[in-house]
Amino acid sequence: MTPHRVIVDCDPGQDDFINLMLMAGAPEVFDVVAVTAVAGNVGLALTANNARLACDWAGWATVPVYAGCAAPLMRGLATAEHVHGTTGVEGLPPAEPATPLEETHAVTALIHCLRGETAPITIIATGPLTNIATALIMAPDITDRIAQIVLMGGARAAGGNITPSAEFNMAVDPHAAARVADSSIPLVVFGLDVTHQLCMTPERRARIRAINQPVATVVADMLDASARRLPAGASHDGPPLHDPCTALYLIAPELFELSSCALAVETDSPLTYGHTSVDLHGVTERSPNARWATAIDAPAAFLHIEDRLARLT
Ligand code: RIB
Ligand code: CA
């Protein structure tokens, strides 16, 4: 199997961090070109720091980390310390990252990396899409250098998690999301409809902890911290694993059911900005532009999570 050459754009974030650990546990699946950080769960200084720490824990000694946009295209930055803690990776022991931060801005790096590739590559996006949209605006020629964008964001039947009608990544930067949705780049989208099916129950968290290796232990610590922050009466029986659906898809696509859809993002309504209109049945005039994940085999997915984490010592 030829590994997927990927750039990961993320806003670590506990689940972004776990996504990177799954990728580190699957070196035969991923050839990581770069990690780019964007403001989202926490401010850019922290997401960049956390991306560097993730590369340390992943054992990625040569993967460059770039800091990108500190704010959305048009809106003010909204963050999610209430979910991820003040560091963004609550449960991870504080440390000074060994992985350096590159001086080049992530948007410049995205453009340069993509132009330098001999064939189109995959972008994994697990935060607000500000960096990617900005790169597309600055250098439209990179559109053809992107084979697909595998992203976590949006919601259809599940409703919103930051507003009643919008998922966090889409709501933080709806204008960027709309630009990516209109880009003609093949999109594979993992929204709350599917990520809410992959909850880290106490039993699953205990099984991760029982791996008894440093990376698995820190993942269990982050998941336990996340579980403590779940709102009282939350319908989930444990924190949903949002971003790791992207790595799981590239590791084992058979875990998911996906449907073609016409995806559009609301940008202007003060009530519904960031809402993803997901037309699965062709009831609009819009052409299909994405594949939308509707289901996951959660028990099988968890076995993959266990397996990949257990490979990291
Ligand atoms: O809504 C969940 C998404 O928002 C995840 O990517 C999480 O890390 C936050 O960025
Ligand atoms: Ca994220």
Short mmCIF file of all heavy atoms in Angstrom, two decimals, residues 279-309:
data_model
loop_
_atom_site.label_atom_id
_atom_site.label_comp_id
_atom_site.label_asym_id
_atom_site.label_seq_id
_atom_site.Cartn_x
_atom_site.Cartn_y
_atom_site.Cartn_z
N ASP A 279 -27.07 18.71 1.47
CA ASP A 279 -28.14 18.21 0.60
C ASP A 279 -27.78 16.81 0.10
O ASP A 279 -27.01 16.65 -0.85
CB ASP A 279 -28.32 19.17 -0.59
CG ASP A 279 -29.42 18.71 -1.55
OD1 ASP A 279 -30.09 17.69 -1.23
OD2 ASP A 279 -29.57 19.35 -2.60
N LEU A 280 -28.33 15.83 0.76
CA LEU A 280 -28.03 14.42 0.43
C LEU A 280 -28.92 13.89 -0.69
O LEU A 280 -28.64 12.85 -1.28
CB LEU A 280 -28.23 13.53 1.67
CG LEU A 280 -27.27 13.72 2.84
CD1 LEU A 280 -27.77 12.91 4.04
CD2 LEU A 280 -25.86 13.33 2.48
N HIS A 281 -30.00 14.62 -0.98
CA HIS A 281 -31.03 14.06 -1.88
C HIS A 281 -31.29 14.90 -3.10
O HIS A 281 -32.31 14.73 -3.76
CB HIS A 281 -32.32 13.85 -1.07
CG HIS A 281 -32.13 13.07 0.19
ND1 HIS A 281 -31.66 11.77 0.22
CD2 HIS A 281 -32.29 13.42 1.51
CE1 HIS A 281 -31.57 11.35 1.46
NE2 HIS A 281 -31.95 12.33 2.27
N GLY A 282 -30.40 15.82 -3.40
CA GLY A 282 -30.55 16.59 -4.63
C GLY A 282 -31.77 17.48 -4.66
O GLY A 282 -32.38 17.71 -5.70
N VAL A 283 -32.15 18.02 -3.51
CA VAL A 283 -33.34 18.86 -3.47
C VAL A 283 -33.01 20.33 -3.77
O VAL A 283 -33.89 21.17 -3.85
CB VAL A 283 -34.05 18.75 -2.10
CG1 VAL A 283 -34.54 17.32 -1.86
CG2 VAL A 283 -33.14 19.20 -0.98
N THR A 284 -31.72 20.62 -3.91
CA THR A 284 -31.34 21.98 -4.28
C THR A 284 -30.76 21.94 -5.70
O THR A 284 -30.57 20.87 -6.28
CB THR A 284 -30.25 22.53 -3.33
OG1 THR A 284 -29.04 21.77 -3.54
CG2 THR A 284 -30.69 22.41 -1.88
N GLU A 285 -30.43 23.11 -6.21
CA GLU A 285 -29.82 23.17 -7.54
C GLU A 285 -28.30 22.95 -7.44
O GLU A 285 -27.62 22.92 -8.45
CB GLU A 285 -30.10 24.55 -8.16
CG GLU A 285 -31.60 24.83 -8.38
CD GLU A 285 -32.26 23.77 -9.26
OE1 GLU A 285 -31.70 23.46 -10.34
OE2 GLU A 285 -33.29 23.21 -8.84
N ARG A 286 -27.80 22.80 -6.20
CA ARG A 286 -26.35 22.75 -6.05
C ARG A 286 -25.80 21.39 -6.47
O ARG A 286 -26.41 20.35 -6.20
CB ARG A 286 -25.95 23.02 -4.59
CG ARG A 286 -26.35 24.41 -4.10
CD ARG A 286 -25.61 24.76 -2.80
NE ARG A 286 -25.80 23.73 -1.80
CZ ARG A 286 -26.77 23.73 -0.89
NH1 ARG A 286 -27.64 24.69 -0.88
NH2 ARG A 286 -26.88 22.75 -0.01
N SER A 287 -24.63 21.42 -7.15
CA SER A 287 -24.00 20.16 -7.57
C SER A 287 -23.29 19.51 -6.38
O SER A 287 -22.75 20.20 -5.52
CB SER A 287 -22.97 20.44 -8.68
OG SER A 287 -23.61 21.08 -9.75
N PRO A 288 -23.27 18.18 -6.36
CA PRO A 288 -22.54 17.50 -5.29
C PRO A 288 -21.08 17.94 -5.27
O PRO A 288 -20.45 18.07 -6.32
CB PRO A 288 -22.66 16.02 -5.66
CG PRO A 288 -23.89 15.93 -6.52
CD PRO A 288 -23.94 17.23 -7.28
N ASN A 289 -20.57 18.23 -4.07
CA ASN A 289 -19.17 18.68 -3.94
C ASN A 289 -18.44 17.99 -2.80
O ASN A 289 -17.30 18.36 -2.48
CB ASN A 289 -19.14 20.20 -3.70
CG ASN A 289 -19.88 20.60 -2.43
OD1 ASN A 289 -20.61 19.80 -1.86
ND2 ASN A 289 -19.68 21.83 -1.98
N ALA A 290 -19.11 17.02 -2.16
CA ALA A 290 -18.48 16.37 -1.01
C ALA A 290 -19.08 15.00 -0.79
O ALA A 290 -20.15 14.68 -1.31
CB ALA A 290 -18.68 17.23 0.25
N ARG A 291 -18.33 14.22 -0.01
CA ARG A 291 -18.90 12.98 0.53
C ARG A 291 -19.05 13.19 2.03
O ARG A 291 -18.11 13.65 2.69
CB ARG A 291 -18.02 11.78 0.20
CG ARG A 291 -18.12 11.40 -1.30
CD ARG A 291 -17.51 10.03 -1.57
NE ARG A 291 -16.09 10.03 -1.29
CZ ARG A 291 -15.44 8.93 -0.86
NH1 ARG A 291 -16.09 7.82 -0.61
NH2 ARG A 291 -14.14 8.98 -0.65
N TRP A 292 -20.23 12.89 2.53
CA TRP A 292 -20.62 13.19 3.90
C TRP A 292 -20.72 11.87 4.66
O TRP A 292 -21.43 10.95 4.23
CB TRP A 292 -21.95 13.92 3.91
CG TRP A 292 -22.53 14.23 5.25
CD1 TRP A 292 -23.52 13.54 5.91
CD2 TRP A 292 -22.18 15.32 6.10
NE1 TRP A 292 -23.79 14.13 7.11
CE2 TRP A 292 -22.99 15.22 7.26
CE3 TRP A 292 -21.27 16.38 6.02
CZ2 TRP A 292 -22.90 16.15 8.31
CZ3 TRP A 292 -21.18 17.29 7.04
CH2 TRP A 292 -21.99 17.17 8.18
N ALA A 293 -20.03 11.76 5.78
CA ALA A 293 -20.06 10.52 6.57
C ALA A 293 -21.35 10.47 7.38
O ALA A 293 -21.66 11.40 8.14
CB ALA A 293 -18.85 10.45 7.49
N THR A 294 -22.07 9.38 7.20
CA THR A 294 -23.34 9.23 7.90
C THR A 294 -23.29 8.19 9.02
O THR A 294 -24.10 8.26 9.95
CB THR A 294 -24.45 8.79 6.91
OG1 THR A 294 -24.02 7.57 6.26
CG2 THR A 294 -24.70 9.86 5.86
N ALA A 295 -22.35 7.26 8.95
CA ALA A 295 -22.28 6.21 9.96
C ALA A 295 -20.85 5.70 10.10
O ALA A 295 -20.04 5.80 9.17
CB ALA A 295 -23.21 5.05 9.61
N ILE A 296 -20.57 5.15 11.28
CA ILE A 296 -19.28 4.53 11.57
C ILE A 296 -19.55 3.23 12.33
O ILE A 296 -20.49 3.15 13.12
CB ILE A 296 -18.37 5.46 12.41
CG1 ILE A 296 -17.00 4.81 12.68
CG2 ILE A 296 -19.05 5.86 13.72
CD1 ILE A 296 -16.01 5.73 13.38
N ASP A 297 -18.73 2.23 12.08
CA ASP A 297 -18.77 1.00 12.87
C ASP A 297 -17.91 1.28 14.11
O ASP A 297 -16.70 1.04 14.09
CB ASP A 297 -18.21 -0.17 12.05
CG ASP A 297 -18.22 -1.49 12.82
OD1 ASP A 297 -18.37 -1.47 14.06
OD2 ASP A 297 -18.06 -2.55 12.16
N ALA A 298 -18.52 1.82 15.14
CA ALA A 298 -17.77 2.33 16.29
C ALA A 298 -16.99 1.23 17.01
O ALA A 298 -15.81 1.44 17.33
CB ALA A 298 -18.71 3.06 17.25
N PRO A 299 -17.58 0.05 17.25
CA PRO A 299 -16.77 -0.99 17.91
C PRO A 299 -15.52 -1.37 17.11
O PRO A 299 -14.43 -1.50 17.67
CB PRO A 299 -17.75 -2.17 18.02
CG PRO A 299 -19.11 -1.52 18.03
CD PRO A 299 -18.99 -0.35 17.10
N ALA A 300 -15.67 -1.48 15.80
CA ALA A 300 -14.51 -1.83 14.97
C ALA A 300 -13.52 -0.66 14.95
O ALA A 300 -12.29 -0.87 14.99
CB ALA A 300 -14.95 -2.17 13.55
N ALA A 301 -14.03 0.56 14.91
CA ALA A 301 -13.15 1.73 14.92
C ALA A 301 -12.34 1.78 16.20
O ALA A 301 -11.14 2.07 16.19
CB ALA A 301 -13.98 3.01 14.78
N PHE A 302 -12.98 1.43 17.32
CA PHE A 302 -12.26 1.47 18.59
C PHE A 302 -11.13 0.46 18.60
O PHE A 302 -10.03 0.72 19.13
CB PHE A 302 -13.19 1.25 19.79
CG PHE A 302 -12.46 1.29 21.10
CD1 PHE A 302 -11.96 2.50 21.57
CD2 PHE A 302 -12.19 0.14 21.81
CE1 PHE A 302 -11.24 2.57 22.76
CE2 PHE A 302 -11.46 0.18 22.99
CZ PHE A 302 -10.99 1.41 23.46
N LEU A 303 -11.34 -0.70 17.98
CA LEU A 303 -10.26 -1.70 17.92
C LEU A 303 -9.07 -1.14 17.13
O LEU A 303 -7.90 -1.37 17.47
CB LEU A 303 -10.78 -2.99 17.28
CG LEU A 303 -11.83 -3.77 18.09
CD1 LEU A 303 -12.30 -4.99 17.29
CD2 LEU A 303 -11.27 -4.18 19.45
N HIS A 304 -9.36 -0.39 16.07
CA HIS A 304 -8.27 0.25 15.33
C HIS A 304 -7.54 1.27 16.20
O HIS A 304 -6.31 1.37 16.17
CB HIS A 304 -8.83 0.94 14.07
CG HIS A 304 -9.09 0.02 12.92
ND1 HIS A 304 -8.12 -0.35 12.02
CD2 HIS A 304 -10.22 -0.60 12.52
CE1 HIS A 304 -8.64 -1.16 11.11
NE2 HIS A 304 -9.90 -1.33 11.39
N ILE A 305 -8.30 2.03 16.97
CA ILE A 305 -7.69 3.03 17.87
C ILE A 305 -6.77 2.34 18.87
O ILE A 305 -5.59 2.72 19.03
CB ILE A 305 -8.78 3.84 18.60
CG1 ILE A 305 -9.54 4.72 17.60
CG2 ILE A 305 -8.18 4.69 19.72
CD1 ILE A 305 -10.82 5.34 18.16
N GLU A 306 -7.29 1.29 19.49
CA GLU A 306 -6.48 0.52 20.46
C GLU A 306 -5.21 -0.01 19.81
O GLU A 306 -4.11 0.12 20.33
CB GLU A 306 -7.32 -0.67 20.96
CG GLU A 306 -7.71 -0.63 22.38
CD GLU A 306 -8.49 -1.88 22.79
OE1 GLU A 306 -9.00 -2.64 21.94
OE2 GLU A 306 -8.58 -2.10 24.01
N ASP A 307 -5.38 -0.59 18.62
CA ASP A 307 -4.25 -1.21 17.93
C ASP A 307 -3.17 -0.17 17.61
O ASP A 307 -1.98 -0.39 17.86
CB ASP A 307 -4.74 -1.87 16.63
CG ASP A 307 -3.60 -2.29 15.72
OD1 ASP A 307 -2.65 -2.94 16.22
OD2 ASP A 307 -3.61 -1.91 14.53
N ARG A 308 -3.59 0.97 17.08
CA ARG A 308 -2.60 1.99 16.66
C ARG A 308 -1.90 2.62 17.85
O ARG A 308 -0.69 2.86 17.83
CB ARG A 308 -3.27 3.05 15.79
CG ARG A 308 -3.79 2.50 14.45
CD ARG A 308 -2.68 1.90 13.61
NE ARG A 308 -3.18 1.27 12.38
CZ ARG A 308 -2.41 0.80 11.41
NH1 ARG A 308 -1.09 0.88 11.52
NH2 ARG A 308 -2.91 0.22 10.34
N LEU A 309 -2.65 2.87 18.92
CA LEU A 309 -2.02 3.45 20.12
C LEU A 309 -1.06 2.47 20.76
O LEU A 309 0.01 2.85 21.25
CB LEU A 309 -3.09 3.88 21.13
CG LEU A 309 -3.98 5.06 20.72
CD1 LEU A 309 -5.02 5.34 21.81
CD2 LEU A 309 -3.14 6.31 20.44
#
